[in-house]
Amino acid sequence: MNWRPVARHEAGVLRSTRSFRYLLGALVATVLLSAYVYPVIGTPPYSTARFTGFLAGSLTGLLAFVGVLVGYGAVAGDRESGALRLSLSLPRSRLDVAVGTFLGRAGVLAGVLVAAMAGAGVLVVYPYGQLVVGPFLAFVGVAILYGSLWTGIGLAVSMAVATKRRALIVAFGLVLLLAVAWEPAVGLLEYGLTRAGLSTDGLPRTLKMLIGLVPGAAFERVVTSLLDPGAPPSGPSALGGVTSLGVLALWTIGPLGAGYWRFARSDLA
Amino acid sequence: MPAIDATDISKRYGTVTALDRVDLTVEAGEAFGFLGPNGAGKSTFINILLDFVTPSAGSVSIFGHDCQNDGVAARDRIGVLPEGYAPYERLTGRQHVEHAIRAKDADADPIAVLDRVGIRDAADRTASDYSTGMTQRLVLAMALVGQPDLLILDEPTAGLDPNGAARMREILQTELDRGATVFFSSHILEQVEAVCDRVGILQNGELVAVDTIDGFRDTLGGGTKLRITPETLHEDTVATVRRVAGVETAVATSEDRLEVTCTNDAKMDVLVALQDAGVDVVDFRTEESSLEDMFVEYTSGGHA
């Protein structure tokens, strides 16, 4: 494996590109602002553990957008410009490119999240909050996994298509479907079934579980089930926290694997 | 072990055959020129060498490593100037070379490498601001990192001014003297002729000829061209020349100029025949067939 130079290069691209700096700056600002207003609009007792549930709501959508934006242009952009030909003429495989690009870009996003969460922790604890280290650190890890998942989806699309424009359309189509339109669509389905007299007690349990497999729902369930002590208990139809963690891992590996499979078999002509 | 060993390589895109059963061996240490008109399949062949493209049939290896199944090992000891590449958008020239040094796990001074290709002064400029010629030099610099055993160069002089092209030839000669193999694809024949020992001509996806340049000259009638200016050029003068054994073509190119291609030992016979026919020769010049003449001969269908 020779992915390290690729990862280093990709991390450098992210750090040196102004639009990415703004994007990641917006993420940091959102996390810090949430921490700043948490003691004002949140419910006591204030702790870094309970803050995780407070923050998860705003991170679910935001990290989907940021993650996909970080990933979607990587391979497709280089493929379109011709930089990928230069890269692959060096002694490295397409797997090196896939792994290095993912780790380089997701690594920068992870670093930004760690820095933002460290600042947020200080804001939550000072002056009246309580530092509960375990759940807070675990939340940082889960947020990194969730952000990486979306970077992976963006990168998977980037590897599967030939142009950056197509990657943008497909990647944001997926964000709109899985992170924006999913809940309203489920609500609409539930309403339709009730109105049609096909269901009196909401959606069937199995369908609810399937619907709950989307990344955002899995992320929030991990937080509410495992990390935030103030969260209301999940309903009987919901997947458990540990299972949801597994779902997040599958969302990370699955799309990346599929994108790489297509990338590895395509001609770069 | 051959530097490049291709067996029955074919590549089809739908109904279009880009490469048709190409067999080619390039020995270690030689300078091989890959010639062909645009669209002949040269870049497709190189794309297969670099595993950018998977062949529809056949196999090719570099120093014994299969280019598709063992591509990283195949590219481990090579330097490449590919076709259709672009530099990384935000990296300087120096950073490009540093990137190549890291990727090849080599030990080299980036500035020395850039100096060698003549763009030391632009080392800290963003490569996306480079001219085409400077970018070619930069990618050649990346290719030279790590003293590769094989240099694969696809149209390397594209965008280079005459000085740049001359410097590239010098560099390639130095690499050849070091023992490296050079695989040089181009449609600029004089560049190939200046660098290469052996040449392959590709046309419509088929390798129509592989030979040394001298070998081509021998095959194509000794490769001698006579430009004769007789005192007077009658209609039967051309016919007289054509009857001489060893003459391939004789054409009156103007009112007082005759061009003849013939075997090397027929030159004097032509002049004697003209003398015998009572034609006074005012002036004559001989020249060897250029690679261009040979290339035209092959790709125009005469020998394909």
Side-chain angles (χ1 to χ4, degrees), chain A residues 18 68 85 131 133 138 235:
Chain A
R18 194 179 299 165
V68 157
R85 296 171 74 86
L131 178 65
V133 177

Side-chain angles (χ1 to χ4, degrees), chain B:
Chain B
M1 182 182 296
I4 297 172
D5 192 7
T7 310
D8 259 347
I9 284 281
S10 294
K11 179 64 184 178
R12 286 179 289 278
Y13 295 100
T15 56
V16 177
T17 302
L19 277 180
D20 191 6
R21 290 162 291 169
V22 170
D23 276 308
L24 177 66
T25 303
V26 177
E27 295 300 336
E30 76 169 316
F32 189 88
F34 207 38
L35 278 175
N38 292 332
K42 304 187 298 292
S43 291
T44 303
F45 184 80
I46 291 179
N47 285 340
I48 291 171
L49 285 180
L50 301 177
D51 196 26
F52 293 169
V53 165
T54 307
S56 309
S59 64
V60 60
S61 62
I62 292 177
F63 294 118
H65 298 286
D66 186 275
C67 293
Q68 271 61 50
N69 300 326
D70 197 10
V72 177
R75 291 193 300 279
D76 194 36
R77 296 295 305 149
I78 71 174
V80 184
L81 200 163
E83 183 229 17
Y85 68 85
Y88 295 117
E89 218 173 295
R90 287 178 180 78
L91 297 195
T92 63
R94 183 208 298 258
Q95 287 168 329
H96 272 83
V97 176
E98 286 170 347
H99 184 73
I101 291 171
R102 277 193 293 273
K104 295 181 180 184
D105 201 15
D107 182 23
D109 173 11
I111 292 298
V113 182
L114 289 170
D115 190 36
R116 192 173 171 204
V117 297
I119 54 169
R120 180 189 181 131
D121 294 343
D124 293 318
R125 274 172 52 195
T126 310
S128 47
D129 295 336
Y130 282 9
S131 66
T132 311
M134 288 169 75
T135 311
Q136 286 286 85
R137 289 171 187 240
L138 172 62
V139 179
L140 177 65
M142 292 173 73
L144 293 171
V145 164
Q147 299 205 318
D149 295 332
L150 167 66
L151 281 164
I152 296 177
L153 312 169
D154 198 350
E155 300 286 356
T157 53
L160 288 180
D161 58 26
N163 287 337
R167 186 186 279 250
M168 176 165 294
R169 283 199 300 273
E170 283 170 25
I171 290 171
L172 294 185
Q173 196 52 59
T174 309
E175 292 297 301
L176 285 165
D177 294 344
R178 179 174 66 74
T181 310
V182 172
F183 185 84
F184 188 116
S185 158
S186 181
H187 67 279
I188 303 174
L189 307 174
E190 61 180 18
Q191 301 287 350
V192 173
E193 197 167 12
V195 173
C196 300
D197 314 318
R198 217 157 58 97
V199 173
I201 295 177
L202 199 64
Q203 192 190 16
N204 296 329
E206 287 183 54
L207 193 60
V208 293
V210 180
D211 208 340
T212 60
I213 290 173
D214 288 342
F216 276 122
R217 288 203 174 100
D218 291 342
T219 310
L220 297 173
T224 298
K225 185 180 276 184
L226 290 174
R227 294 184 198 278
I228 303 168
T229 310
E231 194 170 57
T232 51
L233 182 57
H234 301 294
E235 280 180 18
D236 57 348
T237 308
V238 178
T240 303
V241 173
R242 280 184 185 148
R243 279 195 294 273
V244 176
V247 168
E248 290 204 330
T249 62
V251 181
T253 53
S254 65
E255 283 181 7
D256 61 349
R257 172 76 75 82
L258 186 62
E259 275 194 11
V260 181
T261 55
C262 61
T263 56
N264 205 29
D265 48 6
K267 280 185 297 192
M268 287 310 294
D269 295 344
V270 170
L271 296 176
V272 169
L274 286 171
Q275 194 71 37
D276 291 349
V279 179
D280 287 334
V281 174
V282 177
D283 186 27
F284 79 94
R285 283 189 295 133
T286 65
E287 56 188 58
E288 283 191 317
S289 286
S290 67
L291 187 57
E292 186 168 346
D293 297 327
M294 295 186 256
F295 179 71
V296 169
E297 181 84 17
Y298 268 97
T299 54
S300 63
H303 286 75

